[in-house]
Amino acid sequence: MLFAVMTTVIVTSAEANVIYVDANATTDASAGVYKTFEEAVAAATAGTHQAQGTTIKFLSDYTNPSTSSGLTINKRNLTIDLNGHAVNAVSRGFDLKGIGIQIGVQDGKLTVIAPIEDTPAEKAGLLAGDEILSIDGKSTKGLSVDKAADRIRGEEGTTVTLLIKRKGQPNKLYKITRAEIELKSVSDKFPFENTKLNSSIGYIRLSSFISRNAASEFLQALQKNENKQGYIIDLRSNPGGLLNNAIIISDMLLNGGVIVSTVDRDGYKNTTRSTRKFVTNKPIVVLINKGSASASEILSGALKDNERALLVGEKSFGKGLVQEINKLYDGAGLNITIQKYLTPNGTDINKLGIEPNYEVKITKNDIKQHKDPQLEKAKYLIKERLEHEATEQELSTLPN
């Protein structure tokens, strides 16, 4: 199962040999205390089998002095397990088994960021913004993302029961059977089967930026729909993924301009610009909601700020952080927040989100009736834009 880790470090609580990192101390190998994380990892991985089960604990805030961005682990008493079990699924490939859900902590509450399309979680009815109160009867109060992930993961065919709190509804138990999760980035499947779209408009649903094939799949979808006059790009409940995918896809749609800027803790700013090698200049409307996060916000922010597309839906999640996965001994990993990103207009959207040009909400009644007012608004805007362009073209052919 795949999780978007909203905290800075993958944490485990394995009982094992322990060594310590203390930036305020002098390295003393005999006492198992090291001034830098690099020294601790080198000590832990010295020898072949001795490293397995070794745990590194941080006794003080730690800044990596050898990295230009100045990585900081800004929590005390964190534990990094080197036995290879507590690893972000992204760093171990895509053989994933679970329920297909991405989670994070918002305001101290374990929250569903988004269910992945066509997975047990989505089919069970879990929604972005749902609060997970308990896992198999055990409260999630004070539970880290990583420990929650460990509880929800499991073998294919087994079940997990989640107690879900949803705004305006009574708490509800969801018993979900785990399965192998297939990550599909792009589809043309509508949320509701009865949805109809004008043949001149192409619909592209981008559900994740996680797969390394996401950008190529998106390009194929554009090429498949090259005869269309406009496009609706659906980023709703897309929790993000690889930053590079968002940049490449933005570049396909922009004819110049800034795509995104990243800023590290020292204020160093790096700006990525469009190469002007765009694939299409046809009208675009992008759909977003509160489950659209991270790379989704980079793409939607780039298109909005460059006035390349109109955004329809609800304010996005607000995850404007860049995270780096560092592989450790035996496949274990350390996930650290290294930068924040800004939209082309310089907006820091972390915890704030991106506002759509047109706010359109979907009600419970809409869902019951299989109506999608956000998509209907997008269809209207594309049609309006096409009619405007046709009028302008007609006027340009008139004699002076």
Side-chain angles (χ1 to χ4, degrees):
M1 174 174 43
L2 186 61
F3 291 86
V5 180
M6 309 302 287
T7 50
T8 55
V9 180
I10 293 177
V11 183
T12 67
S13 57
E15 292 295 328
N17 299 323
V18 178
I19 58 178
Y20 301 92
V21 174
D22 189 350
N24 301 318
T26 301
T27 294
D28 183 353
S30 62
V33 177
Y34 298 87
K35 186 175 182 66
T36 71
F37 175 66
E38 288 82 3
E39 289 178 321
V41 171
T45 56
T48 53
H49 301 292
Q50 291 181 348
Q52 294 196 17
T54 298
T55 296
I56 297 177
K57 288 189 175 182
F58 293 84
L59 301 181
S60 64
D61 290 352
Y62 174 65
T63 299
N64 183 346
S66 66
T67 306
S68 60
S69 59
L71 307 187
T72 298
I73 298 170
N74 54 11
K75 293 183 179 180
R76 296 174 183 267
N77 301 320
L78 292 179
T79 303
I80 310 301
D81 182 23
L82 301 182
N83 65 13
H85 295 300
V87 185
N88 190 313
V90 176
S91 68
R92 304 193 76 180
F94 297 102
D95 181 18
L96 310 175
K97 293 181 175 63
I99 64 172
I101 191 177
Q102 305 203 9
I103 61 174
V105 174
Q106 283 186 297
D107 300 323
K109 301 172 183 176
L110 188 65
T111 305
V112 175
I113 306 304
I116 298 173
E117 186 176 355
D118 286 332
T119 62
E122 184 190 54
K123 293 173 182 176
L126 295 187
L127 300 175
D130 284 347
E131 181 185 346
I132 304 174
L133 298 178
S134 71
I135 303 168
D136 285 333
K138 296 182 179 179
S139 173
T140 60
K141 187 175 182 180
L143 194 67
S144 71
V145 170
D146 310 289
K147 290 182 180 179
D150 288 339
R151 288 188 188 179
I152 298 174
R153 289 188 187 102
E155 292 300 315
E156 185 175 0
T158 60
T159 61
V160 61
T161 301
L162 306 180
L163 178 60
I164 297 296
K165 180 180 180 180
R166 187 175 297 166
K167 188 175 180 181
Q169 299 185 27
N171 297 346
K172 181 178 178 180
L173 284 172
Y174 289 79
K175 186 175 183 179
I176 307 173
T177 301
R178 301 178 178 101
E180 184 168 349
I181 307 302
E182 180 183 356
L183 297 179
K184 295 186 292 185
S185 299
V186 175
S187 75
D188 57 4
K189 176 184 173 183
F190 295 114
F192 300 120
E193 293 180 0
N194 62 339
T195 301
K196 294 181 180 180
L197 197 62
N198 188 297
S199 60
S200 65
I201 302 174
Y203 173 82
I204 301 174
R205 162 75 177 139
L206 184 56
S207 59
S208 170
F209 291 83
I210 295 167
S211 168
R212 296 189 185 277
N213 297 322
S216 60
E217 287 180 31
F218 186 83
L219 176 60
Q220 290 170 9
L222 282 178
Q223 293 170 336
K224 178 182 176 182
N225 290 278
E226 62 182 355
N227 64 326
K228 305 296 185 182
Q229 295 179 290
Y231 301 100
I232 296 173
I233 300 174
D234 194 343
L235 297 179
R236 291 176 295 183
S237 298
N238 181 329
L242 301 178
L243 171 65
N244 200 46
N245 278 332
I247 292 173
I248 293 172
I249 293 173
S250 296
D251 199 31
M252 294 179 195
L253 305 173
L254 290 173
N255 183 20
V258 171
I259 294 175
V260 68
S261 297
T262 55
V263 182
D264 66 22
R265 67 187 299 270
D266 296 319
Y268 178 77
K269 186 176 181 180
N270 182 53
T271 298
T272 302
R273 298 179 180 275
S274 167
T275 63
R276 294 182 181 271
K277 297 179 180 178
F278 61 95
V279 177
T280 180
N281 61 355
K282 296 175 181 177
I284 295 172
V285 174
V286 177
L287 300 177
I288 61 172
N289 64 6
K290 59 185 176 181
S292 306
S294 191
S296 292
E297 293 169 303
I298 292 175
L299 175 56
S300 56
L303 297 180
K304 180 186 180 185
D305 285 2
N306 284 287
E307 298 184 354
R308 177 65 182 90
L310 295 173
L311 272 53
V312 172
E314 300 173 83
K315 185 173 71 173
S316 63
F317 182 82
K319 184 178 185 292
L321 302 176
V322 180
Q323 295 182 317
E324 177 181 84
I325 299 172
N326 298 274
K327 291 184 179 180
L328 304 178
Y329 178 83
D330 196 24
L334 177 65
N335 193 19
I336 305 177
T337 297
I338 59 173
Q339 296 167 318
K340 64 180 180 180
Y341 62 74
L342 308 177
T343 68
N345 287 349
T347 303
D348 179 0
I349 56 88
N350 193 49
K351 296 184 179 180
L352 299 176
I354 292 178
E355 297 282 353
N357 298 96
Y358 297 89
E359 183 180 30
V360 180
K361 295 186 177 182
I362 294 181
T363 66
K364 289 186 288 184
N365 194 48
D366 289 329
I367 296 173
K368 288 179 181 179
Q369 297 182 28
H370 287 195
K371 291 182 178 180
D372 191 342
Q374 294 171 344
L375 185 57
E376 290 299 318
K377 181 66 174 181
K379 288 162 57 178
Y380 171 79
L381 291 171
I382 290 281
K383 181 182 177 183
E384 186 179 54
R385 174 73 181 275
L386 292 174
E387 289 175 350
H388 176 71
E389 289 184 352
T391 300
E392 283 191 334
Q393 185 173 6
E394 184 178 340
L395 291 173
S396 67
T397 61
L398 295 177
N400 293 327

